PDB file of all heavy atoms in Angstrom:
ATOM      1  N   LEU B  20      21.063  24.004   6.488  1.00  0.00           N
ATOM      2  CA  LEU B  20      20.519  22.872   5.740  1.00  0.00           C
ATOM      3  C   LEU B  20      21.341  22.632   4.482  1.00  0.00           C
ATOM      4  O   LEU B  20      21.610  21.487   4.100  1.00  0.00           O
ATOM      5  CB  LEU B  20      19.059  23.114   5.365  1.00  0.00           C
ATOM      6  CG  LEU B  20      18.039  23.114   6.500  1.00  0.00           C
ATOM      7  CD1 LEU B  20      16.637  23.311   5.962  1.00  0.00           C
ATOM      8  CD2 LEU B  20      18.107  21.822   7.298  1.00  0.00           C
ATOM      9  N   ALA B  21      21.758  23.732   3.852  1.00  0.00           N
ATOM     10  CA  ALA B  21      22.559  23.616   2.637  1.00  0.00           C
ATOM     11  C   ALA B  21      23.905  22.955   2.940  1.00  0.00           C
ATOM     12  O   ALA B  21      24.410  22.165   2.149  1.00  0.00           O
ATOM     13  CB  ALA B  21      22.761  24.982   1.998  1.00  0.00           C
ATOM     14  N   CYS B  22      24.472  23.263   4.102  1.00  0.00           N
ATOM     15  CA  CYS B  22      25.733  22.625   4.490  1.00  0.00           C
ATOM     16  C   CYS B  22      25.549  21.115   4.576  1.00  0.00           C
ATOM     17  O   CYS B  22      26.338  20.335   4.044  1.00  0.00           O
ATOM     18  CB  CYS B  22      26.205  23.135   5.853  1.00  0.00           C
ATOM     19  SG  CYS B  22      26.749  24.847   5.849  1.00  0.00           S
ATOM     20  N   LEU B  23      24.488  20.750   5.239  1.00  0.00           N
ATOM     21  CA  LEU B  23      24.194  19.338   5.442  1.00  0.00           C
ATOM     22  C   LEU B  23      24.015  18.651   4.097  1.00  0.00           C
ATOM     23  O   LEU B  23      24.445  17.521   3.876  1.00  0.00           O
ATOM     24  CB  LEU B  23      22.900  19.244   6.248  1.00  0.00           C
ATOM     25  CG  LEU B  23      22.599  17.949   6.965  1.00  0.00           C
ATOM     26  CD1 LEU B  23      23.773  17.530   7.815  1.00  0.00           C
ATOM     27  CD2 LEU B  23      21.366  18.120   7.830  1.00  0.00           C
ATOM     28  N   TYR B  24      23.419  19.401   3.211  1.00  0.00           N
ATOM     29  CA  TYR B  24      23.052  18.867   1.917  1.00  0.00           C
ATOM     30  C   TYR B  24      24.285  18.713   1.038  1.00  0.00           C
ATOM     31  O   TYR B  24      24.451  17.723   0.321  1.00  0.00           O
ATOM     32  CB  TYR B  24      22.017  19.831   1.352  1.00  0.00           C
ATOM     33  CG  TYR B  24      21.881  19.948  -0.113  1.00  0.00           C
ATOM     34  CD1 TYR B  24      21.294  18.924  -0.841  1.00  0.00           C
ATOM     35  CD2 TYR B  24      22.279  21.107  -0.750  1.00  0.00           C
ATOM     36  CE1 TYR B  24      21.137  19.080  -2.199  1.00  0.00           C
ATOM     37  CE2 TYR B  24      22.109  21.260  -2.097  1.00  0.00           C
ATOM     38  CZ  TYR B  24      21.549  20.245  -2.825  1.00  0.00           C
ATOM     39  OH  TYR B  24      21.382  20.391  -4.156  1.00  0.00           O
ATOM     40  N   GLN B  25      25.216  19.669   1.163  1.00  0.00           N
ATOM     41  CA  GLN B  25      26.444  19.541   0.384  1.00  0.00           C
ATOM     42  C   GLN B  25      27.354  18.462   0.949  1.00  0.00           C
ATOM     43  O   GLN B  25      27.997  17.724   0.202  1.00  0.00           O
ATOM     44  CB  GLN B  25      27.184  20.881   0.335  1.00  0.00           C
ATOM     45  CG  GLN B  25      26.612  21.790  -0.740  1.00  0.00           C
ATOM     46  CD  GLN B  25      26.971  23.243  -0.534  1.00  0.00           C
ATOM     47  OE1 GLN B  25      27.734  23.590   0.355  1.00  0.00           O
ATOM     48  NE2 GLN B  25      26.389  24.103  -1.359  1.00  0.00           N
ATOM     49  N   ALA B  26      27.395  18.378   2.262  1.00  0.00           N
ATOM     50  CA  ALA B  26      28.249  17.372   2.891  1.00  0.00           C
ATOM     51  C   ALA B  26      27.729  15.974   2.582  1.00  0.00           C
ATOM     52  O   ALA B  26      28.496  15.022   2.466  1.00  0.00           O
ATOM     53  CB  ALA B  26      28.293  17.595   4.392  1.00  0.00           C
ATOM     54  N   ASN B  27      26.419  15.873   2.481  1.00  0.00           N
ATOM     55  CA  ASN B  27      25.802  14.598   2.147  1.00  0.00           C
ATOM     56  C   ASN B  27      26.046  13.511   3.198  1.00  0.00           C
ATOM     57  O   ASN B  27      26.153  12.336   2.883  1.00  0.00           O
ATOM     58  CB  ASN B  27      26.288  14.122   0.782  1.00  0.00           C
ATOM     59  CG  ASN B  27      25.246  13.294   0.078  1.00  0.00           C
ATOM     60  OD1 ASN B  27      24.066  13.620   0.110  1.00  0.00           O
ATOM     61  ND2 ASN B  27      25.674  12.198  -0.525  1.00  0.00           N
ATOM     62  N   ARG B  28      26.166  13.932   4.432  1.00  0.00           N
ATOM     63  CA  ARG B  28      26.305  12.982   5.533  1.00  0.00           C
ATOM     64  C   ARG B  28      25.962  13.726   6.823  1.00  0.00           C
ATOM     65  O   ARG B  28      25.957  14.956   6.844  1.00  0.00           O
ATOM     66  CB  ARG B  28      27.726  12.444   5.603  1.00  0.00           C
ATOM     67  CG  ARG B  28      28.738  13.522   5.921  1.00  0.00           C
ATOM     68  CD  ARG B  28      30.164  13.010   5.886  1.00  0.00           C
ATOM     69  NE  ARG B  28      31.081  14.134   6.011  1.00  0.00           N
ATOM     70  CZ  ARG B  28      31.429  14.677   7.173  1.00  0.00           C
ATOM     71  NH1 ARG B  28      30.930  14.195   8.297  1.00  0.00           N
ATOM     72  NH2 ARG B  28      32.260  15.701   7.221  1.00  0.00           N
ATOM     73  N   PRO B  29      25.681  13.013   7.882  1.00  0.00           N
ATOM     74  CA  PRO B  29      25.385  13.680   9.146  1.00  0.00           C
ATOM     75  C   PRO B  29      26.563  14.530   9.590  1.00  0.00           C
ATOM     76  O   PRO B  29      27.716  14.157   9.389  1.00  0.00           O
ATOM     77  CB  PRO B  29      25.157  12.516  10.113  1.00  0.00           C
ATOM     78  CG  PRO B  29      24.797  11.356   9.264  1.00  0.00           C
ATOM     79  CD  PRO B  29      25.536  11.553   7.979  1.00  0.00           C
ATOM     80  N   LEU B  30      26.279  15.683  10.180  1.00  0.00           N
ATOM     81  CA  LEU B  30      27.333  16.590  10.624  1.00  0.00           C
ATOM     82  C   LEU B  30      27.184  16.903  12.110  1.00  0.00           C
ATOM     83  O   LEU B  30      26.071  16.962  12.624  1.00  0.00           O
ATOM     84  CB  LEU B  30      27.266  17.904   9.839  1.00  0.00           C
ATOM     85  CG  LEU B  30      27.557  17.863   8.342  1.00  0.00           C
ATOM     86  CD1 LEU B  30      27.339  19.238   7.733  1.00  0.00           C
ATOM     87  CD2 LEU B  30      28.977  17.380   8.086  1.00  0.00           C
ATOM     88  N   ALA B  31      28.313  17.126  12.753  1.00  0.00           N
ATOM     89  CA  ALA B  31      28.310  17.535  14.160  1.00  0.00           C
ATOM     90  C   ALA B  31      28.298  19.054  14.244  1.00  0.00           C
ATOM     91  O   ALA B  31      28.606  19.734  13.266  1.00  0.00           O
ATOM     92  CB  ALA B  31      29.533  16.971  14.859  1.00  0.00           C
ATOM     93  N   LEU B  32      27.955  19.570  15.392  1.00  0.00           N
ATOM     94  CA  LEU B  32      27.885  21.013  15.602  1.00  0.00           C
ATOM     95  C   LEU B  32      29.142  21.717  15.108  1.00  0.00           C
ATOM     96  O   LEU B  32      29.071  22.684  14.360  1.00  0.00           O
ATOM     97  CB  LEU B  32      27.684  21.295  17.094  1.00  0.00           C
ATOM     98  CG  LEU B  32      27.730  22.754  17.530  1.00  0.00           C
ATOM     99  CD1 LEU B  32      26.681  23.584  16.815  1.00  0.00           C
ATOM    100  CD2 LEU B  32      27.522  22.860  19.030  1.00  0.00           C
ATOM    101  N   GLU B  33      30.279  21.201  15.549  1.00  0.00           N
ATOM    102  CA  GLU B  33      31.548  21.833  15.204  1.00  0.00           C
ATOM    103  C   GLU B  33      31.723  21.935  13.680  1.00  0.00           C
ATOM    104  O   GLU B  33      32.240  22.932  13.177  1.00  0.00           O
ATOM    105  CB  GLU B  33      32.700  21.016  15.809  1.00  0.00           C
ATOM    106  CG  GLU B  33      33.981  21.779  15.966  1.00  0.00           C
ATOM    107  CD  GLU B  33      33.843  22.972  16.913  1.00  0.00           C
ATOM    108  OE1 GLU B  33      33.009  22.903  17.847  1.00  0.00           O
ATOM    109  OE2 GLU B  33      34.549  23.961  16.699  1.00  0.00           O
ATOM    110  N   GLU B  34      31.269  20.922  12.982  1.00  0.00           N
ATOM    111  CA  GLU B  34      31.389  20.926  11.517  1.00  0.00           C
ATOM    112  C   GLU B  34      30.501  21.992  10.895  1.00  0.00           C
ATOM    113  O   GLU B  34      30.896  22.658   9.937  1.00  0.00           O
ATOM    114  CB  GLU B  34      31.036  19.546  10.963  1.00  0.00           C
ATOM    115  CG  GLU B  34      31.974  18.456  11.469  1.00  0.00           C
ATOM    116  CD  GLU B  34      31.613  17.091  10.933  1.00  0.00           C
ATOM    117  OE1 GLU B  34      30.605  16.502  11.384  1.00  0.00           O
ATOM    118  OE2 GLU B  34      32.339  16.607  10.052  1.00  0.00           O
ATOM    119  N   PHE B  35      29.322  22.165  11.453  1.00  0.00           N
ATOM    120  CA  PHE B  35      28.462  23.240  10.963  1.00  0.00           C
ATOM    121  C   PHE B  35      29.148  24.583  11.157  1.00  0.00           C
ATOM    122  O   PHE B  35      29.088  25.457  10.297  1.00  0.00           O
ATOM    123  CB  PHE B  35      27.123  23.238  11.704  1.00  0.00           C
ATOM    124  CG  PHE B  35      26.146  22.222  11.209  1.00  0.00           C
ATOM    125  CD1 PHE B  35      25.903  21.059  11.920  1.00  0.00           C
ATOM    126  CD2 PHE B  35      25.456  22.422  10.019  1.00  0.00           C
ATOM    127  CE1 PHE B  35      24.988  20.116  11.471  1.00  0.00           C
ATOM    128  CE2 PHE B  35      24.542  21.489   9.557  1.00  0.00           C
ATOM    129  CZ  PHE B  35      24.313  20.328  10.285  1.00  0.00           C
ATOM    130  N   VAL B  36      29.796  24.736  12.303  1.00  0.00           N
ATOM    131  CA  VAL B  36      30.498  25.989  12.599  1.00  0.00           C
ATOM    132  C   VAL B  36      31.543  26.260  11.516  1.00  0.00           C
ATOM    133  O   VAL B  36      31.610  27.339  10.954  1.00  0.00           O
ATOM    134  CB  VAL B  36      31.160  25.927  13.991  1.00  0.00           C
ATOM    135  CG1 VAL B  36      32.036  27.157  14.218  1.00  0.00           C
ATOM    136  CG2 VAL B  36      30.108  25.804  15.080  1.00  0.00           C
ATOM    137  N   THR B  37      32.328  25.234  11.223  1.00  0.00           N
ATOM    138  CA  THR B  37      33.369  25.371  10.206  1.00  0.00           C
ATOM    139  C   THR B  37      32.781  25.692   8.840  1.00  0.00           C
ATOM    140  O   THR B  37      33.207  26.639   8.169  1.00  0.00           O
ATOM    141  CB  THR B  37      34.172  24.059  10.095  1.00  0.00           C
ATOM    142  OG1 THR B  37      34.563  23.662  11.399  1.00  0.00           O
ATOM    143  CG2 THR B  37      35.406  24.253   9.229  1.00  0.00           C
ATOM    144  N   LEU B  38      31.799  24.910   8.435  1.00  0.00           N
ATOM    145  CA  LEU B  38      31.252  25.039   7.093  1.00  0.00           C
ATOM    146  C   LEU B  38      30.470  26.338   6.887  1.00  0.00           C
ATOM    147  O   LEU B  38      30.507  26.925   5.813  1.00  0.00           O
ATOM    148  CB  LEU B  38      30.351  23.843   6.769  1.00  0.00           C
ATOM    149  CG  LEU B  38      31.084  22.504   6.627  1.00  0.00           C
ATOM    150  CD1 LEU B  38      30.101  21.348   6.593  1.00  0.00           C
ATOM    151  CD2 LEU B  38      31.926  22.522   5.355  1.00  0.00           C
ATOM    152  N   SER B  39      29.763  26.760   7.903  1.00  0.00           N
ATOM    153  CA  SER B  39      28.898  27.928   7.727  1.00  0.00           C
ATOM    154  C   SER B  39      29.619  29.228   8.046  1.00  0.00           C
ATOM    155  O   SER B  39      29.279  30.282   7.525  1.00  0.00           O
ATOM    156  CB  SER B  39      27.680  27.804   8.632  1.00  0.00           C
ATOM    157  OG  SER B  39      28.076  27.885   9.995  1.00  0.00           O
ATOM    158  N   GLY B  40      30.602  29.153   8.943  1.00  0.00           N
ATOM    159  CA  GLY B  40      31.260  30.370   9.365  1.00  0.00           C
ATOM    160  C   GLY B  40      30.520  31.074  10.494  1.00  0.00           C
ATOM    161  O   GLY B  40      30.954  32.117  10.971  1.00  0.00           O
ATOM    162  N   TYR B  41      29.409  30.525  10.937  1.00  0.00           N
ATOM    163  CA  TYR B  41      28.676  31.133  12.048  1.00  0.00           C
ATOM    164  C   TYR B  41      29.310  30.724  13.367  1.00  0.00           C
ATOM    165  O   TYR B  41      30.039  29.744  13.448  1.00  0.00           O
ATOM    166  CB  TYR B  41      27.205  30.708  12.026  1.00  0.00           C
ATOM    167  CG  TYR B  41      26.474  31.066  10.759  1.00  0.00           C
ATOM    168  CD1 TYR B  41      25.465  30.235  10.271  1.00  0.00           C
ATOM    169  CD2 TYR B  41      26.783  32.224  10.052  1.00  0.00           C
ATOM    170  CE1 TYR B  41      24.786  30.552   9.109  1.00  0.00           C
ATOM    171  CE2 TYR B  41      26.107  32.542   8.893  1.00  0.00           C
ATOM    172  CZ  TYR B  41      25.110  31.703   8.418  1.00  0.00           C
ATOM    173  OH  TYR B  41      24.441  32.008   7.262  1.00  0.00           O
ATOM    174  N   LYS B  42      28.975  31.480  14.404  1.00  0.00           N
ATOM    175  CA  LYS B  42      29.498  31.159  15.722  1.00  0.00           C
ATOM    176  C   LYS B  42      28.808  29.917  16.300  1.00  0.00           C
ATOM    177  O   LYS B  42      27.665  29.629  15.966  1.00  0.00           O
ATOM    178  CB  LYS B  42      29.305  32.356  16.656  1.00  0.00           C
ATOM    179  CG  LYS B  42      30.234  33.517  16.353  1.00  0.00           C
ATOM    180  CD  LYS B  42      31.683  33.128  16.657  1.00  0.00           C
ATOM    181  CE  LYS B  42      32.629  34.314  16.646  1.00  0.00           C
ATOM    182  NZ  LYS B  42      32.763  34.943  15.310  1.00  0.00           N
TER     183      LYS B  42
END
Side-chain angles (χ1 to χ4, degrees):
Chain B
L20 291 182
C22 291
L23 199 52
Y24 153 73
Q25 278 161 5
N27 210 41
R28 64 184 172 83
L30 294 176
L32 174 58
E33 201 62 30
E34 298 179 286
F35 280 104
V36 173
T37 310
L38 292 168
S39 67
Y41 301 147
K42 288 293 192 295

